[in-house]
């Protein structure tokens, strides 16, 4: 399996959106995993990650320097919207939204390595 992971030197999706989700995702008694102390209330139904409900968002759980080296401090406990934002599309191509967000934040586009599978689509079997 290809291990190319541009997220490790990106992080812009964690500094662009208000990351909001149903409150139960931050309630362990409801099966939630997100640490409640890292969230803030939006209304009776929704909370968001602290730091993302402001003009220049940056999730409180994002560690490191955007565009250089980043990680999520609660990766295994992150909310559904974090899990649902795809790096790869179903056809194996890069999510074009990643490139758009990177451009907005002044980062160069992600360049896939020459040996990446999406640069080397399988060829048709040769017929003898
Ligand atoms: S914007 Fe795309 S490449 Fe950048 S961290 Fe988010 S998912 Fe990864
Ligand atoms: S919880 Fe993690 S993945 Fe989600 S926005 Fe924050 S840093 Fe990014």
């Amino acid at each position: 399996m290809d291990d190319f992971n541009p997220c490790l030197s990106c992080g812009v999706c964690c500094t662009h959106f208000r990351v909001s989700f149903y409150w139960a995702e931050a309630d362990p008694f409801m099966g939630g995993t997100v640490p409640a102390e890292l969230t803030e209330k939006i209304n009776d139904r929704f909370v968001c990650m602290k730091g993302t409900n402001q003009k220049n968002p940056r999730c409180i759980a994002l560690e490191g320097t955007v565009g250089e080296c980043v990680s999520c401090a609660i990766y295994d406990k992150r909310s559904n919207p974090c899990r649902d934002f795809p790096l790869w599309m179903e056809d194996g191509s890069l999510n074009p939204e990643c490139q758009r967000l990177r451009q907005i934040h002044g980062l160069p586009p992600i360049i896939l390595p020459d040996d990446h599978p999406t640069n080397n689509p399988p060829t048709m079997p040769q017929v003898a």
Side-chain angles (χ1 to χ4, degrees):
M1 180 65 183
D2 160 64
D3 60 1
F4 175 66
N5 187 352
C7 297
L8 300 177
S9 59
C10 182
V12 292
C13 56
C14 309
T15 63
H16 187 82
F17 302 106
R18 183 173 76 176
V19 182
S20 59
F21 42 92
Y22 189 52
W23 64 268
E25 284 198 56
D27 186 329
F29 296 107
M30 298 293 286
T33 57
V34 182
E37 66 274 17
L38 301 185
T39 68
E40 66 180 50
K41 183 176 178 177
I42 296 176
N43 55 38
D44 287 346
R45 291 172 52 82
F46 289 95
V47 298
C48 69
M49 291 303 296
K50 281 183 180 173
T52 68
N53 192 20
Q54 57 193 37
K55 186 162 180 253
N56 294 306
R58 180 182 167 118
C59 177
I60 191 173
L62 183 67
E63 297 180 331
T65 303
V66 171
E68 294 182 13
C69 182
V70 291
S71 61
C72 172
I74 59 163
Y75 189 77
D76 293 337
K77 299 176 179 175
R78 69 198 191 285
S79 66
N80 281 319
C82 302
R83 295 171 192 274
D84 290 346
F85 190 84
L87 170 61
W88 305 111
M89 308 305 285
E90 282 188 4
D91 65 358
S93 64
L94 194 68
N95 182 356
E97 185 71 353
C98 295
Q99 304 287 42
R100 189 184 75 84
L101 293 179
R102 286 175 62 87
Q103 185 177 30
I104 291 171
H105 289 267
L107 295 181
I110 295 165
I111 307 290
L112 299 180
D114 288 344
D115 62 352
H116 192 270
T118 52
N119 279 336
N120 298 276
T123 52
M124 290 292 286
Q126 297 296 308
V127 179

